[in-house]
Amino acid sequence: MDFGIGIATGSDSWKLAQRAEELGFTHAWFFDTQMITGDRFVAMAAAALKTSRIRLGTGVLIPSNRIAAVTANAFATLNGMAPGRIDFGIGTGFTARRAMGLGVVKARGDGGIHPRRLRSLEGRDRRDRDRG
Amino acid sequence: MRGETVETAIEGKQRKIRFLNPEIGLINTGDPIPLHISAYGPRSQALTAKFGAGWKSFVSDVPGAMNAIESMQQSWLAARRVQSNLYATAWTRGCVLAEGEPVDSPRAMAQAGPRATVLLHRAADFDMEGWQNTSPPPQAVAAEVAGYVEMARRYEPPDARYPTNHRGHFVFVKPEERKFVSAELIRRTTFTATGQALKQRVEALREAGWRQLAIAITPGEEPAIEDWARIKRAFE
């Protein structure tokens, strides 16, 4: 069983990611609640440079609050800093949206981002491998 | 990465976009980036299965976690996928209690309390927006939830009570909401128990098919990671 940690994203989040790596945790997931925590791509970049084994993921990214093309670029840049150690977690983001006074979105989103669209820009998936 | 051109809505119109020169090495489109979808309802779980993505869900207790993964596994199998390929991540927050330590000790309140208040904030959101809450709180904590919702009705300004409601959400317990974070609320919404009891819970999750336990660490409570590392070592 894998063990990960969730990090309330901040400017020194890399320290917790680094300690998690030392302790053998497999994943560090960074929150994406822009009115409450820091910017996750900045924090993940710092963690990418300060770690070498632990996987770094968005836990979760809120697509309605971000532009798809720019988000894909951020992932591809992180993937250059920590090759093969990046995970893309995505959700509808009740809290991140409510903190801005926004309502609930459905899974297919009204914010212009659909998981398939981002992934097509960013990378291979497990679709074929997992097909029964 | 695939060299594909995809369409996305930018400034109200569909645009065709692609990375124009990934080959020069400014970005990495070569290494795969696994997708994980946070999915609670049948539609989003079906979407997760359709993509063959990893799946993430918050869990509060073992029975709830069992029900959740059974639901996801049904969607996974309906999409004709191999059950063992479902990578399921259980998210939680809690506190590894010392023997005899109360579930609402100051340490537990600091580490687990911010997860417990999610139930309160969500109830207040539904109340202030007039939405129908399809997942009403358990009767055992109905008084705590009702008390917080009543307090939140007085948040200022009246036309924008949501910022105050969400202040500290999932990162700390607001002083004024502390009185609503009862031991029962912590017990029902978090993984707060002794190490031995937590190991039993994690083992139950593992047996049910969960592949990862992700523990949210509260800001200012970073040393808690050492407690959770001891739980982790029991599964190595």
Side-chain angles (χ1 to χ4, degrees), chain B residues 45-126:
Chain B
Q45 290 183 352
L47 189 68
T48 305
K50 178 181 176 183
F51 290 161
W55 172 59
K56 302 160 68 77
S57 183
F58 261 99
V59 301
S60 298
D61 53 33
V62 171
M66 297 294 189
N67 291 336
I69 198 166
E70 283 174 12
S71 171
M72 183 63 225
Q73 286 168 339
Q74 287 176 7
S75 296
W76 195 258
L77 294 175
R80 297 196 300 173
R81 295 193 178 279
V82 177
Q83 183 164 315
S84 61
N85 286 340
L86 172 61
Y87 189 89
T89 298
W91 274 72
T92 193
R93 172 171 267 171
C95 178
V96 184
L97 297 175
E99 289 295 334
E101 182 180 5
V103 75
D104 60 348
S105 72
R107 201 172 64 94
M109 183 64 67
Q111 293 181 20
R115 164 61 179 158
T117 59
V118 169
L119 193 69
L120 306 179
H121 300 168
R122 189 175 180 87
D125 270 328
F126 279 78

Side-chain angles (χ1 to χ4, degrees), chain A residues 2 4-6 19 23 29 76 79 87-90 95 98 117 120-127 132, chain B residues 1-2 4 6-7 28 30-31 34 36 38 51 54 80 87 125 129 169 211-213 215 217 226 232:
Chain A
D2 294 336
I5 60 162
R19 182 58 182 151
L23 291 168
W29 301 96
N79 207 29
D87 284 88
F88 172 23
I90 191 170
T95 300
R98 282 303 297 151
R117 192 175 307 130
S120 183
L121 282 169
E122 289 164 8
R124 293 180 284 266
D125 55 58
R126 308 188 304 192
R127 187 172 22 187
Chain B
M1 184 169 285
R2 291 175 176 153
E4 292 179 3
V6 296
E7 286 201 7
N28 176 4
D31 290 298
H36 306 255
S38 175
F51 290 161
R80 297 196 300 173
Y87 189 89
D125 270 328
E129 298 295 342
H169 184 91
R211 301 273 294 276
Q212 182 182 156
L213 180 69
I215 305 292
I217 304 294
E226 311 294 333
K232 177 180 71 65

